[in-house]
């Protein structure tokens, strides 16, 4: 059973299952980050919200009213990642001096380092590290817990840094529902990233 | 078309997207799904994620403007139209495109010993 979250998309209410909500948050946060320097950011995001709402509603089975990943993922795939025409001309130069969390996130994603929310305990850092190292997640957790005792708390800071920097792997259709804490972490971090991107 | 060639031609299509969107808007006032449908079977097939930011840029440049129209099934829609300067730009782009086409076509035929 999944919790249902009601959100306002372009000022109309829509109900989404918890993991679809997390996926939507992530897409919108990434879009907001891409458009960080765009003067029409708010308007474009509202347009996109409306497009997502239309696409999802169109895909709903008759008699259903809650949007799940089954509707959301093909909808987002059809809408596509946001590209900022203003930024494309601006970034053609060599102004890659200040790395934002999002740029670092892309580098980490390129290196195969992603957080995996499904089956995670906290945010999915150990889960993701285990996958990229090709080892069992229990092993990375044991190492993390050992480090926690050895370093006397520094490990917590390291975890938080990784949690902020490592991008989230996309949620799987029909994957297991997220535990409360990983879902909360994912939501918190994506919205935090969007805020940081909006500042920079 | 081989993928390698396709990759080379990608920047060309990207650069022309703004031009073809302006041309579609020039026809009659349209909303985004109209534009997507019109482009879907062409080399310029695109997505909302690209189109909305592009249209907002064109609006900022004063080339298009939009009006809200009620729809039967849902919230009001934005219908885009060309402004005066948008019309002028489409005309200029058309001229430029013809000239470009002539230049490219001629290059293969003219002797270069002049």
């Amino acid at each position: 059973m999944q919790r249902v979250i009601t959100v306002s998309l372009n000022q109309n209410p829509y109900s989404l299952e918890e993991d679809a909500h997390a996926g939507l948050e992530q897409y919108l946060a990434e879009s907001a980050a891409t458009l960080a320097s765009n003067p029409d950011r708010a308007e474009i995001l509202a347009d996109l919200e409306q497009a997502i709402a239309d696409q999802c509603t169109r895909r709903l089975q008759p008699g259903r009213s809650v949007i799940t990943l089954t509707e959301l993922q093909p909808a987002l795939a059809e809408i596509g990642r946001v590209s900022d025409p203003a930024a494309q001309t601006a970034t053609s130069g060599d102004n890659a001096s200040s790395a934002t969390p999002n740029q670092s996130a892309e580098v980490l994603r390129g290196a195969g380092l992603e957080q995996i929310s499904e089956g995670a305990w906290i945010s999915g850092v150990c889960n993701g590290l285990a996958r990229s190292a090709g080892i069992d997640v229990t092993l990375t957790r044991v190492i993390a817990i050992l480090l926690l005792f050895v370093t006397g708390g520094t490990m917590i800071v390291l975890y938080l840094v990784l949690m902020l920097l490592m991008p989230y792997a996309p949620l799987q259709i029909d994957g297991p529902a997220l535990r409360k804490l990983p879902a909360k972490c994912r939501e918190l971090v994506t919205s935090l990233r969007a805020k940081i991107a909006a500042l920079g | 078309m081989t993928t390698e060639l396709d990759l080379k031609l990608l920047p060309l299509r990207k650069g022309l997207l703004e031009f073809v969107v302006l041309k579609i808007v020039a026809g009659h006032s349209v909303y985004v799904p109209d534009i997507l449908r019109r482009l879907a079977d062409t080399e310029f097939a695109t997505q909302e994620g690209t189109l909305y930011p592009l249209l907002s840029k064109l609006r900022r440049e004063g080339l298009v403007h939009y009006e809200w129209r009620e729809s039967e099934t849902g919230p009001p829609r934005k219908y885009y139209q060309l402004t005066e300067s948008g019309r002028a730009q489409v005309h200029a782009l058309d001229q430029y495109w013809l000239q470009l086409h002539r230049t490219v076509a001629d290059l293969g035929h003219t002797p270069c010993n002049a």
Side-chain angles (χ1 to χ4, degrees), chain A residues 54-135:
Chain A
D54 288 346
Q55 292 269 2
C56 287
T57 318
R58 221 185 55 214
R59 286 183 161 81
L60 275 177
Q61 299 280 329
R64 298 282 170 87
S65 60
V66 177
I67 294 163
T68 67
L69 276 182
T70 318
E71 288 84 39
L72 183 77
Q73 289 199 326
L76 292 185
E78 192 167 331
I79 290 167
R81 272 168 177 267
V82 169
S83 65
D84 188 351
Q88 272 162 17
T89 41
T91 51
S92 56
D94 52 353
N95 52 357
S97 51
S98 65
T100 67
N102 289 292
Q103 283 164 331
S104 327
E106 283 314 308
V107 172
L108 288 173
R109 195 191 293 281
L113 283 178
E114 293 179 318
Q115 300 184 68
I116 301 170
S117 301
E118 286 102 341
W121 279 1
I122 306 174
S123 178
V125 171
C126 287
N127 218 0
L129 289 176
R131 186 185 66 177
S132 52
I135 54 176

Side-chain angles (χ1 to χ4, degrees), chain A residues 11-63:
Chain A
Q11 301 174 359
N12 282 301
Y14 293 89
S15 303
L16 290 96
E17 282 189 357
E18 206 166 10
D19 50 9
H21 175 258
L24 176 63
E25 280 261 306
Q26 187 179 3
Y27 176 85
L28 289 175
E30 281 173 5
S31 304
T34 307
L35 299 169
S37 56
N38 192 308
D40 293 327
R41 189 165 68 106
E43 188 178 352
I44 298 170
L45 287 176
D47 288 336
L48 287 171
E49 284 186 3
Q50 188 58 56
I52 294 167
D54 288 346
Q55 292 269 2
C56 287
T57 318
R58 221 185 55 214
R59 286 183 161 81
L60 275 177
Q61 299 280 329

Side-chain angles (χ1 to χ4, degrees), chain A residues 186-198:
Chain A
R186 197 179 172 110
E187 205 177 312
L188 206 75
V189 170
T190 32
S191 72
L192 196 66
R193 280 181 192 156
K195 277 182 194 136
I196 292 172

Side-chain angles (χ1 to χ4, degrees), chain A residues 40 43 47 54 77 79, chain B residues 47 49 59-60 66 77-78:
Chain A
D40 293 327
E43 188 178 352
D47 288 336
D54 288 346
I79 290 167
Chain B
Q47 297 179 297
R59 192 186 57 84
R60 219 164 42 237
Y66 63 79
R77 310 284 180 197
K78 283 177 180 172

